[in-house]
Amino acid sequence: MAENNEFFREVNEDYRRDQVAQIWRRYGGVIIALAVLLVAGVGGWRYWQNAQRAAAETASEQFDTANRLARDGKVAEADKIFDGLEAQGPAGYRLLARFRSAAEAAKTDAAKGAAEFDALAGDANAGDGLRDLARLRAALLRLDAANPAPALASLQSLAAGTPFRHTAREMLGLAALKRGQYDEAGRWFDQISADPDTPQGLRQRIEVYAAIVAGGPVTVTEAKAEPAAPPPITR
């Protein structure tokens, strides 16, 4: 019985060797090609990772250099670096350069800066947080425009639960105060007070705003002119 088992085992091993040999003769080239592609793919992936890391490090150094130049008043040199990052830098630094460009434009032309922030808000490649930040910056630049309605509408949408809701509600409340709409201002300030995530610094400012709302509009009456005193009698 043991001899039979040994015989069958040897037959099975010979059969498997023959099958492997047949498979290798038929598909050996394909297997080698796949192995080469696998090795090349792993090598290419590692090369791409290293290239991305090097590009990010270079962009970080350039961004820091440009910020330092801007702080030192060398705006033209800083702008040249920022423009290069915006055109050819890694995705993250391109966005940072665009935000910086929009902020700089807003210093001299609010409408132009708001338009650049609008472009960032509509960029599908930016994350939701950055797009909301761009919407906020654009709305703040337009609050003092001749027609602030679009800015107020944008702030109201941001006040409905986004990470920037605190700033949006504060600005909406202050805008209402400026228009003399004390009840509306109070409603926005109440939302800030009721939000458990409101930053402590904003809660302290809300106390001041609430006092202004409670005081209501200030009525200024024109003072009546006092009758002139008679001239002194001279003898």
Side-chain angles (χ1 to χ4, degrees):
M1 187 68 178
E3 293 179 356
N4 290 337
N5 290 338
E6 183 67 22
F7 173 75
F8 285 125
R9 185 163 51 250
E10 290 179 358
V11 170
N12 286 335
E13 289 177 357
D14 289 341
Y15 177 76
R16 284 197 295 270
R17 281 196 293 270
D18 289 342
Q19 290 294 103
V20 170
Q22 289 179 13
I23 292 173
W24 182 255
R25 284 194 297 271
R26 180 176 297 181
Y27 301 109
V30 175
I31 293 172
I32 293 173
L34 290 174
V36 170
L37 287 175
L38 178 61
V39 172
V42 171
W45 171 252
R46 291 186 181 278
Y47 174 80
W48 181 84
Q49 283 184 316
N50 290 333
Q52 290 293 103
R53 187 180 300 112
E57 290 174 356
T58 301
S60 176
E61 293 174 0
Q62 291 176 335
F63 195 83
D64 289 342
T65 299
N67 278 325
R68 186 169 60 254
L69 288 170
R71 287 194 300 270
D72 294 342
K74 301 176 181 179
V75 179
E77 295 178 43
D79 284 344
K80 185 177 180 179
I81 297 175
F82 281 125
D83 289 344
L85 286 172
E86 187 174 343
Q88 298 180 347
Y93 286 96
R94 286 203 303 271
L95 281 172
L96 287 175
R98 290 176 64 192
F99 267 95
R100 186 263 178 190
S101 174
E104 289 299 311
K107 291 179 181 179
T108 55
D109 188 337
K112 181 180 178 182
E116 291 191 22
F117 280 121
D118 284 342
L120 282 163
D123 190 341
N125 294 321
D128 290 341
L130 289 176
R131 294 173 68 182
D132 284 342
L133 175 59
R135 289 170 57 203
L136 176 66
R137 296 294 300 272
L140 294 180
L141 287 171
R142 292 189 173 107
L143 269 180
D144 293 327
N147 178 21
L152 294 174
S154 183
L155 288 175
Q156 287 171 4
S157 67
L158 290 168
T162 70
F164 301 101
R165 62 188 181 278
H166 310 298
T167 301
R169 290 167 181 170
E170 182 180 14
M171 293 299 103
L172 286 165
L174 291 175
L177 276 181
K178 187 176 180 180
R179 298 192 303 272
Q181 298 172 344
Y182 283 73
D183 290 342
E184 181 178 347
R187 286 193 291 272
W188 287 116
F189 297 147
D190 287 344
Q191 287 188 33
I192 295 174
S193 298
D195 192 328
D197 296 325
T198 296
Q200 187 58 37
L202 179 53
R203 287 193 184 279
Q204 294 173 356
R205 293 198 299 275
I206 286 299
E207 295 178 4
V208 177
Y209 300 155
I212 295 173
V213 172
V218 177
T219 303
V220 179
T221 57
E222 185 177 353
K224 294 182 179 180
E226 295 291 335
I233 300 174
T234 57
R235 296 184 179 181

